[in-house]
Amino acid sequence: MHLIALHDSAGSSNPLGISGNYDRLPFAPYFIFKDLITIFLFILILSAFVFFMPNFLGDNENYVMANPMQTPPAIVPEWYLLPFYAILRSIPNKLLGVIAMFSAILILLTMPFTDLSRSRGIQFRPLSKIAFFIFVGNFLILMELGAKHVESPFIEFGQISTIIYFSHFLIFVPLITLIENSLIELPNKLDNSVSLASYKFNINNPIIRKKSNLLNTIVLYLPLVIFTIINYNILSSIYYNDSPRPWGLYFQDSATPQMEGLVELHDNIMFYLVIILFSVGWILLSIIKTYTNTESPISHKYLNHGTLIELIWTITPALILILIAFPSFKLLYLMDEVSDPAMSVLAEGHQWYWSYQYPDFLNSDEEFIEFDSYLVPESDLEEGALRMLEVDNRVILPELTHVRFIVTGADVIHSLACPALGIKCDAYPGKLSQVSVLINREGVFYGQCSEICGILHSSMPIVIESVSIEKFLTWLEEQ
């Protein structure tokens, strides 16, 4: 429907407001490939940062060992939040600073009301162009000020830039548009006598139509091919696999009731999502196929939205979300409920390893059983061990036993996660969190810290081994 409203009417970049029915190109393949060029260019730039300059936009403080007793001298958010952070701290009052920070985003919604120009677009509005580039420059200045220390003269510069930021929307835009409206009188009536015969690229050209039909065929069958590959990947992973698998697209085999509930909820929702996906995809493909023809049956002018269809596609997703919410809330409640645990395990996250303690059992020295769990270096791996996942000391738990994990952090926020067991619990310094698990089969289950906690975040894996009660008692005696 967006394509109908946009490409079948005057269009978005149309400052004169003339009819777009004269020079028409098919949506496929021309506009599809035009957008793909932008997408690939963006991915190319992003890949250059990811693979060659991963720390270019980072902060040196990320490489310093966390110290809960000392706050870093300069705390700044990520670079893309720096302008709003500069606005936040430019106001002395905390509450007003927070309001100003959120208002800096919400003020964008005022543009349809403050932009009083008769021309939508700035192609023929030089004053608006100047104001826009001043706004962009001021925004970059705010980004630079957001990374500076809170001291003079950066505080004063931040206050001036904040005033300019809000003035652009509330003062400059309406004032400049009124001036431009008085200087330029846009034509109300346009000559629509241009003939399609002067159109250079005839859409009925058999070569163009052949290429367009070929692309439509590819777009039509591509989702079916992808869906088949995904199904093959899922069916090929029916064997027990309690560790991450390269290119794995499905869950690990469940070993707890909560993980079984998560998989069942996912499968039920995915069934309806696939139906919605193909329904929306069919509508999209039909629209693309329709726009390969210049003589579209849809009216080009005076296009109005239908109230009934607007209500349908607004209310239907809300009802779907409500239907999904009921089983989701039930599952969340069951996962958070810790009922009558038979034993507890205290897990503490460090930079960058885990330490565990069994407070219900004592060793020969009358002390709690406790140990640290470090990543096994690649040079020390035994045959069959998993790289970046194996540890020197595993967490040993008995099967068919309610176990409560008490999780905390020693320095920064970590997260204890094991996908096959369906557990994920954040470890906050100075706070105790808990999660329960009932492992219903023997096996070795691998997980990792699921909170970005530092440069070696990926080097603190979690390995939980479920054994029979007899083997667990033997292991306790050995401690």
Side-chain angles (χ1 to χ4, degrees):
M1 300 308 296
H2 167 74
L3 295 174
I4 292 177
L6 179 64
H7 296 286
D8 224 12
S9 58
S12 58
S13 299
N14 188 10
L16 295 179
I18 62 175
S19 174
N21 299 334
Y22 306 128
D23 295 335
R24 297 178 63 82
L25 287 174
F27 185 78
Y30 297 103
F31 293 100
I32 288 181
F33 281 105
K34 179 183 75 68
D35 293 341
L36 284 178
I37 292 174
T38 306
I39 294 173
F40 285 131
L41 181 62
F42 173 80
I43 293 176
L44 180 65
I45 298 174
L46 178 64
S47 300
F49 277 101
V50 171
F51 295 112
F52 298 102
M53 300 179 291
N55 301 316
F56 183 77
L57 298 174
D59 196 306
N60 295 332
E61 295 289 342
N62 293 332
Y63 295 91
V64 179
M65 186 73 72
N67 184 359
M69 302 301 295
Q70 181 181 0
T71 303
I75 299 178
V76 295
E78 295 295 337
W79 60 272
Y80 45 82
L81 296 176
L82 289 176
F84 306 103
Y85 182 63
I87 294 175
L88 168 67
R89 68 186 198 180
S90 66
I91 299 178
N93 187 281
K94 292 184 179 180
L95 178 59
L96 294 179
V98 173
I99 295 175
M101 180 181 65
F102 286 104
S103 299
I105 301 175
L106 296 177
I107 201 171
L108 295 172
L109 302 177
T110 65
M111 282 296 290
F113 306 101
T114 58
D115 186 0
L116 306 176
S117 176
R118 298 181 222 167
S119 173
R120 297 304 181 188
I122 61 174
Q123 285 88 342
F124 307 110
R125 296 163 56 190
L127 295 179
S128 295
K129 287 183 179 181
I130 295 174
F132 172 75
F133 287 112
I134 292 176
F135 172 79
V136 172
N138 181 68
F139 191 81
L140 296 176
I141 292 174
L142 281 172
M143 180 181 293
E144 182 67 23
L145 292 174
K148 301 295 184 180
H149 290 280
V150 187
E151 59 187 14
S152 183
F154 303 125
I155 297 177
E156 291 77 8
F157 286 148
Q159 293 172 345
I160 296 173
S161 297
T162 300
I163 294 174
I164 296 175
Y165 181 92
F166 287 101
S167 298
H168 174 80
F169 297 98
L170 302 178
I171 299 177
F172 299 151
V173 169
L175 183 61
I176 290 175
T177 53
L178 289 176
I179 295 174
E180 290 174 337
N181 286 341
S182 63
L183 296 177
I184 303 174
E185 182 177 356
L186 297 177
N188 295 324
K189 295 182 180 181
L190 299 170
D191 185 10
N192 295 328
S193 61
V194 181
S195 174
L196 283 175
S198 62
Y199 185 45
K200 222 179 259 188
F201 301 98
N202 188 0
I203 194 59
N204 293 318
N205 189 314
I207 298 177
I208 297 179
R209 184 168 295 281
K210 183 178 180 181
K211 292 182 180 179
S212 180
N213 291 335
L214 176 61
L215 180 65
N216 288 335
T217 305
I218 295 175
V219 174
L220 177 64
Y221 288 102
L222 185 61
L224 298 178
V225 175
I226 296 175
F227 187 72
T228 304
I229 295 174
I230 293 175
N231 272 322
Y232 174 79
N233 194 292
I234 293 174
L235 294 175
S236 64
S237 61
I238 60 175
Y239 302 103
Y240 279 148
N241 183 22
D242 302 320
S243 63
R245 189 165 63 91
W247 302 99
L249 296 178
Y250 199 62
F251 298 103
Q252 298 179 22
D253 297 306
S254 60
T256 59
Q258 57 257 47
M259 187 58 189
E260 293 176 0
L262 287 171
V263 174
E264 183 179 2
L265 178 66
H266 168 272
D267 292 345
N268 291 334
I269 295 177
M270 184 60 68
F271 173 78
Y272 296 103
L273 287 182
V274 170
I275 296 178
I276 295 173
L277 172 66
F278 281 96
S279 301
V280 176
W282 178 80
I283 296 173
L284 266 178
L285 293 175
S286 300
I287 292 173
I288 293 175
K289 185 177 181 181
T290 302
Y291 290 134
T292 57
N293 188 359
T294 55
E295 299 178 358
S296 174
I298 303 173
S299 175
H300 298 294
K301 291 184 178 180
Y302 312 112
L303 187 64
N304 296 320
H305 291 284
T307 304
L308 179 61
I309 191 66
E310 293 280 355
L311 290 174
I312 290 176
W313 71 43
T314 302
I315 296 176
T316 302
L319 294 177
I320 294 175
L321 292 177
I322 292 174
L323 293 176
I324 294 175
F326 285 106
S328 300
F329 288 150
K330 180 180 178 181
L331 184 59
L332 284 173
Y333 174 78
L334 293 177
M335 292 175 63
D336 290 337
E337 186 70 16
V338 179
S339 58
D340 194 22
M343 59 174 289
S344 299
V345 176
L346 176 63
E348 186 176 24
H350 302 264
Q351 287 182 309
W352 286 273
Y353 65 95
W354 290 93
S355 62
Y356 302 96
Q357 184 183 97
Y358 291 70
D360 299 313
F361 306 99
L362 301 176
N363 57 19
S364 57
D365 298 330
E366 297 298 322
E367 297 177 348
F368 294 132
I369 297 176
E370 57 184 355
F371 53 86
D372 297 330
S373 182
Y374 288 89
L375 170 73
V376 176
E378 187 173 358
S379 58
D380 298 337
L381 285 176
E382 299 179 356
E383 185 177 358
L386 300 176
R387 174 182 173 272
M388 298 298 294
L389 288 176
E390 192 57 70
V391 296
D392 54 357
N393 289 310
R394 296 176 174 177
V395 179
I396 309 298
L397 297 178
E399 65 172 341
L400 302 176
T401 303
H402 281 282
V403 179
R404 175 179 61 176
F405 278 94
I406 303 174
V407 185
T408 187
D411 32 49
V412 296
I413 302 176
H414 302 275
S415 183
L416 182 81
C418 188
L421 304 184
I423 59 174
K424 183 179 183 295
C425 186
D426 291 337
Y428 296 95
K431 176 184 175 182
L432 297 179
S433 305
Q434 64 177 2
V435 63
S436 65
V437 62
L438 174 66
I439 307 177
N440 52 26
R441 63 180 174 86
E442 296 184 22
V444 180
F445 310 102
Y446 296 87
Q448 284 182 308
C449 175
S450 296
E451 187 74 38
I452 301 179
C453 56
I455 186 174
L456 296 178
H457 150 76
S458 59
S459 300
M460 46 185 304
I462 301 155
V463 181
I464 300 176
E465 183 175 358
S466 174
V467 298
S468 62
I469 296 181
E470 293 78 9
K471 292 182 179 179
F472 177 72
L473 294 176
T474 303
W475 177 81
L476 286 178
E477 292 177 357
E478 295 174 354
Q479 304 306 309

